[in-house]
Amino acid sequence: VIKNFSYKFSKGEKIGIFGCNGSGKSTLLNIIAGKLQGEEGFVETGENTCIGYYQQYPEFKNLNLTVLDYIKEAAEVIHTNSGKDLSASQFLKEFGFEGKIQHSLLENLSGGERKRVFLIRLLISNPNFLILDEPTNDFDIFTMNILEQFLSDYKGCLLIVSHDRFFMDKTADTLFIMEKDGSISHFPGKCSEYLQYL
Protein backbone atom coordinates (compact mmCIF):
# COMPACT_ATOMS: atom_id res chain seq x y z
CA VAL A 1 0.00 0.00 0.00
CA ILE A 2 2.81 2.40 0.94
CA LYS A 3 6.39 2.23 -0.30
CA ASN A 4 9.63 4.20 -0.09
CA PHE A 5 8.24 6.79 2.33
CA SER A 6 10.46 8.64 4.78
CA TYR A 7 9.67 11.83 6.65
CA LYS A 8 10.79 13.70 9.74
CA PHE A 9 7.95 15.62 11.40
CA SER A 10 8.57 19.02 12.98
CA LYS A 11 6.65 20.90 15.66
CA GLY A 12 3.84 23.09 14.33
CA GLU A 13 3.40 21.29 11.01
CA LYS A 14 -0.22 20.91 9.86
CA ILE A 15 -0.40 18.26 7.16
CA GLY A 16 -3.48 17.04 5.31
CA ILE A 17 -3.49 13.61 3.66
CA PHE A 18 -5.08 13.51 0.21
CA GLY A 19 -5.95 10.40 -1.80
CA CYS A 20 -8.73 8.26 -3.25
CA ASN A 21 -10.68 5.78 -1.13
CA GLY A 22 -8.49 2.73 -0.55
CA SER A 23 -5.26 4.59 -1.28
CA GLY A 24 -3.82 3.89 2.19
CA LYS A 25 -4.60 7.08 4.16
CA SER A 26 -5.85 5.28 7.28
CA THR A 27 -3.11 2.64 6.93
CA LEU A 28 -0.48 5.39 7.03
CA LEU A 29 -2.08 6.93 10.14
CA ASN A 30 -2.29 3.54 11.86
CA ILE A 31 1.39 2.84 11.19
CA ILE A 32 2.47 6.26 12.49
CA ALA A 33 0.27 5.87 15.58
CA GLY A 34 1.70 2.39 16.27
CA LYS A 35 -1.64 0.62 15.79
CA LEU A 36 -0.32 -1.29 12.79
CA GLN A 37 3.12 -2.71 12.06
CA GLY A 38 4.54 -2.16 8.57
CA GLU A 39 6.00 -5.14 6.74
CA GLU A 40 9.30 -3.28 6.66
CA GLY A 41 10.77 0.00 7.88
CA PHE A 42 10.23 1.64 11.26
CA VAL A 43 8.65 4.58 13.04
CA GLU A 44 10.82 6.40 15.54
CA THR A 45 9.01 8.69 17.99
CA GLY A 46 10.70 11.43 19.97
CA GLU A 47 11.24 11.02 23.70
CA ASN A 48 8.59 13.61 24.57
CA THR A 49 6.17 12.76 21.76
CA CYS A 50 2.60 12.27 22.99
CA ILE A 51 0.32 11.03 20.19
CA GLY A 52 -3.42 11.66 20.26
CA TYR A 53 -5.28 9.57 17.67
CA TYR A 54 -8.88 10.21 16.64
CA GLN A 55 -10.08 7.17 14.68
CA GLN A 56 -13.14 6.99 12.44
CA TYR A 57 -14.65 4.43 14.82
CA PRO A 58 -13.56 5.35 18.37
CA GLU A 59 -13.19 2.55 20.90
CA PHE A 60 -14.43 2.87 24.49
CA LYS A 61 -13.16 0.51 27.19
CA ASN A 62 -16.16 1.13 29.47
CA LEU A 63 -19.54 2.38 28.21
CA ASN A 64 -20.96 2.35 31.77
CA LEU A 65 -19.24 5.64 32.67
CA THR A 66 -21.10 8.92 32.58
CA VAL A 67 -19.95 11.55 30.08
CA LEU A 68 -18.53 13.69 32.91
CA ASP A 69 -16.68 10.77 34.57
CA TYR A 70 -15.19 9.75 31.22
CA ILE A 71 -13.79 13.27 30.71
CA LYS A 72 -12.60 13.53 34.33
CA GLU A 73 -10.54 10.35 33.83
CA ALA A 74 -8.34 12.44 31.50
CA ALA A 75 -8.38 15.73 33.46
CA GLU A 76 -10.35 17.44 36.22
CA VAL A 77 -9.18 20.90 35.09
CA ILE A 78 -8.35 21.86 31.50
CA HIS A 79 -5.86 24.60 30.64
CA THR A 80 -6.98 26.18 27.36
CA ASN A 81 -4.76 27.80 24.72
CA SER A 82 -6.25 31.18 25.63
CA GLY A 83 -4.89 30.83 29.18
CA LYS A 84 -8.22 30.03 30.88
CA ASP A 85 -8.69 27.15 33.30
CA LEU A 86 -11.95 25.23 32.86
CA SER A 87 -13.42 22.39 34.89
CA ALA A 88 -14.30 19.20 33.01
CA SER A 89 -17.97 20.21 33.22
CA GLN A 90 -17.29 23.70 31.80
CA PHE A 91 -15.20 22.24 28.98
CA LEU A 92 -18.05 19.88 28.06
CA LYS A 93 -20.39 22.89 27.87
CA GLU A 94 -18.02 24.49 25.33
CA PHE A 95 -18.72 21.48 23.10
CA GLY A 96 -22.48 21.59 23.60
CA PHE A 97 -22.83 19.05 26.44
CA GLU A 98 -24.91 20.98 28.96
CA GLY A 99 -27.05 19.90 31.89
CA LYS A 100 -28.35 16.33 32.25
CA ILE A 101 -26.44 14.87 29.29
CA GLN A 102 -23.19 15.21 31.28
CA HIS A 103 -24.60 12.58 33.67
CA SER A 104 -25.82 10.24 30.90
CA LEU A 105 -24.05 6.93 30.40
CA LEU A 106 -21.85 6.66 27.32
CA GLU A 107 -23.86 3.62 26.18
CA ASN A 108 -27.00 5.79 25.97
CA LEU A 109 -25.47 8.39 23.62
CA SER A 110 -25.97 8.46 19.87
CA GLY A 111 -23.02 7.52 17.64
CA GLY A 112 -22.33 11.18 16.83
CA GLU A 113 -22.43 12.19 20.52
CA ARG A 114 -20.00 9.41 21.44
CA LYS A 115 -17.58 10.57 18.74
CA ARG A 116 -17.80 14.11 20.09
CA VAL A 117 -17.09 12.95 23.67
CA PHE A 118 -14.13 10.88 22.42
CA LEU A 119 -12.77 13.95 20.60
CA ILE A 120 -13.16 16.15 23.72
CA ARG A 121 -11.23 13.66 25.85
CA LEU A 122 -8.53 13.39 23.20
CA LEU A 123 -8.08 17.17 23.01
CA ILE A 124 -7.83 17.67 26.78
CA SER A 125 -5.19 14.93 27.09
CA ASN A 126 -2.88 17.57 25.56
CA PRO A 127 -1.11 15.54 22.83
CA ASN A 128 1.74 17.27 20.99
CA PHE A 129 1.22 15.07 17.90
CA LEU A 130 -2.44 14.97 16.88
CA ILE A 131 -3.76 12.52 14.28
CA LEU A 132 -7.34 13.00 13.09
CA ASP A 133 -8.94 10.44 10.76
CA GLU A 134 -12.18 11.83 9.30
CA PRO A 135 -13.06 13.98 12.35
CA THR A 136 -15.82 15.80 10.45
CA ASN A 137 -18.11 12.76 10.01
CA ASP A 138 -21.24 13.01 12.22
CA PHE A 139 -20.31 16.44 13.65
CA ASP A 140 -22.69 19.40 13.48
CA ILE A 141 -21.62 22.92 12.42
CA PHE A 142 -21.33 24.02 16.07
CA THR A 143 -18.81 21.25 16.88
CA MET A 144 -16.96 21.83 13.61
CA ASN A 145 -16.48 25.53 14.43
CA ILE A 146 -15.08 24.72 17.89
CA LEU A 147 -12.74 22.07 16.44
CA GLU A 148 -11.51 24.49 13.73
CA GLN A 149 -10.81 27.13 16.39
CA PHE A 150 -8.94 24.62 18.56
CA LEU A 151 -6.80 23.47 15.61
CA SER A 152 -5.99 27.04 14.51
CA ASP A 153 -4.47 27.65 17.98
CA TYR A 154 -2.84 24.20 18.18
CA LYS A 155 0.95 24.39 18.55
CA GLY A 156 1.82 20.71 18.05
CA CYS A 157 2.14 18.61 14.91
CA LEU A 158 -1.16 17.79 13.13
CA LEU A 159 -1.91 15.02 10.63
CA ILE A 160 -5.44 15.04 9.24
CA VAL A 161 -7.59 13.06 6.81
CA SER A 162 -10.93 14.53 5.75
CA HIS A 163 -13.19 14.50 2.70
CA ASP A 164 -14.39 17.97 3.75
CA ARG A 165 -12.25 20.16 1.46
CA PHE A 166 -13.31 23.38 3.20
CA PHE A 167 -12.27 21.95 6.58
CA MET A 168 -8.95 20.76 5.13
CA ASP A 169 -8.26 24.24 3.73
CA LYS A 170 -8.84 25.78 7.16
CA THR A 171 -6.70 23.31 9.11
CA ALA A 172 -3.85 22.01 6.88
CA ASP A 173 -1.06 24.11 5.34
CA THR A 174 0.54 21.36 3.27
CA LEU A 175 -0.40 17.94 1.88
CA PHE A 176 0.81 14.37 1.59
CA ILE A 177 -0.54 12.95 -1.70
CA MET A 178 -1.20 9.20 -1.75
CA GLU A 179 -0.19 8.17 -5.26
CA LYS A 180 -1.58 5.13 -7.13
CA ASP A 181 1.80 3.35 -7.14
CA GLY A 182 2.04 3.42 -3.32
CA SER A 183 4.43 6.37 -3.14
CA ILE A 184 3.61 9.51 -1.15
CA SER A 185 4.43 12.89 -2.62
CA HIS A 186 4.44 16.30 -0.95
CA PHE A 187 2.44 19.34 -2.05
CA PRO A 188 3.37 22.65 -0.37
CA GLY A 189 -0.08 24.22 -0.33
CA LYS A 190 -3.72 23.85 0.66
CA CYS A 191 -6.24 21.32 -0.62
CA SER A 192 -8.06 23.80 -2.92
CA GLU A 193 -4.70 24.83 -4.41
CA TYR A 194 -3.86 21.20 -5.12
CA LEU A 195 -7.23 20.62 -6.82
CA GLN A 196 -6.64 23.75 -8.91
CA TYR A 197 -3.14 22.44 -9.77
CA LEU A 198 -4.63 19.12 -10.90
Side-chain angles (χ1 to χ4, degrees):
V1 179
I2 300 160
K3 66 179 185 184
N4 301 330
F5 177 66
S6 180
Y7 192 81
K8 186 173 182 178
F9 293 96
S10 302
K11 183 180 177 183
E13 284 187 300
K14 295 182 177 178
I15 304 168
I17 301 177
F18 187 94
C20 304
N21 286 341
S23 62
K25 299 186 296 292
S26 292
T27 301
L28 176 64
L29 297 185
N30 279 318
I31 290 172
I32 292 170
K35 301 275 185 189
L36 190 64
Q37 181 65 47
E39 290 176 352
E40 56 185 47
F42 62 93
V43 176
E44 188 179 343
T45 52
E47 226 175 88
N48 298 316
T49 302
C50 175
I51 293 177
Y53 186 22
Y54 178 88
Q55 298 164 275
Q56 288 186 53
Y57 306 103
E59 297 168 6
F60 294 84
K61 289 178 183 172
N62 182 4
L63 289 173
N64 291 315
L65 290 173
T66 66
V67 171
L68 185 57
D69 287 338
Y70 177 70
I71 297 302
K72 279 183 173 180
E73 272 190 348
E76 294 266 349
V77 177
I78 296 92
H79 310 289
T80 64
N81 288 320
S82 60
K84 287 193 301 182
D85 285 349
L86 298 175
S87 68
S89 177
Q90 289 170 321
F91 197 77
L92 279 165
K93 280 182 191 174
E94 298 267 317
F95 276 83
F97 284 98
E98 290 191 64
K100 289 181 182 177
I101 196 164
Q102 291 191 7
H103 303 286
S104 298
L105 295 178
L106 293 172
E107 68 177 356
N108 295 331
L109 300 180
S110 69
E113 287 170 335
R114 272 192 215 165
K115 285 185 174 185
R116 198 162 15 130
V117 171
F118 185 86
L119 177 68
I120 294 167
R121 176 161 164 160
L122 181 70
L123 297 180
I124 67 171
S125 66
N126 204 23
N128 55 19
F129 194 112
L130 189 56
I131 300 174
L132 302 176
D133 192 359
E134 292 292 356
T136 57
N137 292 356
D138 299 318
F139 285 166
D140 55 22
I141 292 169
F142 172 77
T143 307
M144 290 292 296
N145 287 337
I146 293 169
L147 179 58
E148 284 170 12
Q149 182 59 54
F150 179 91
L151 295 177
S152 70
D153 295 335
Y154 183 64
K155 301 291 189 278
C157 189
L158 173 67
L159 259 182
I160 189 163
V161 170
S162 176
H163 285 98
D164 186 331
R165 304 292 178 243
F166 182 69
F167 178 75
M168 284 276 273
D169 268 359
K170 289 186 100 174
T171 53
D173 306 320
T174 184
L175 299 176
F176 284 160
I177 311 299
M178 310 295 291
E179 306 288 2
K180 290 179 181 173
D181 65 356
S183 62
I184 300 174
S185 56
H186 183 249
F187 181 82
K190 293 191 175 287
C191 192
S192 57
E193 293 170 328
Y194 178 67
L195 291 171
Q196 199 171 9
Y197 163 76
L198 287 180

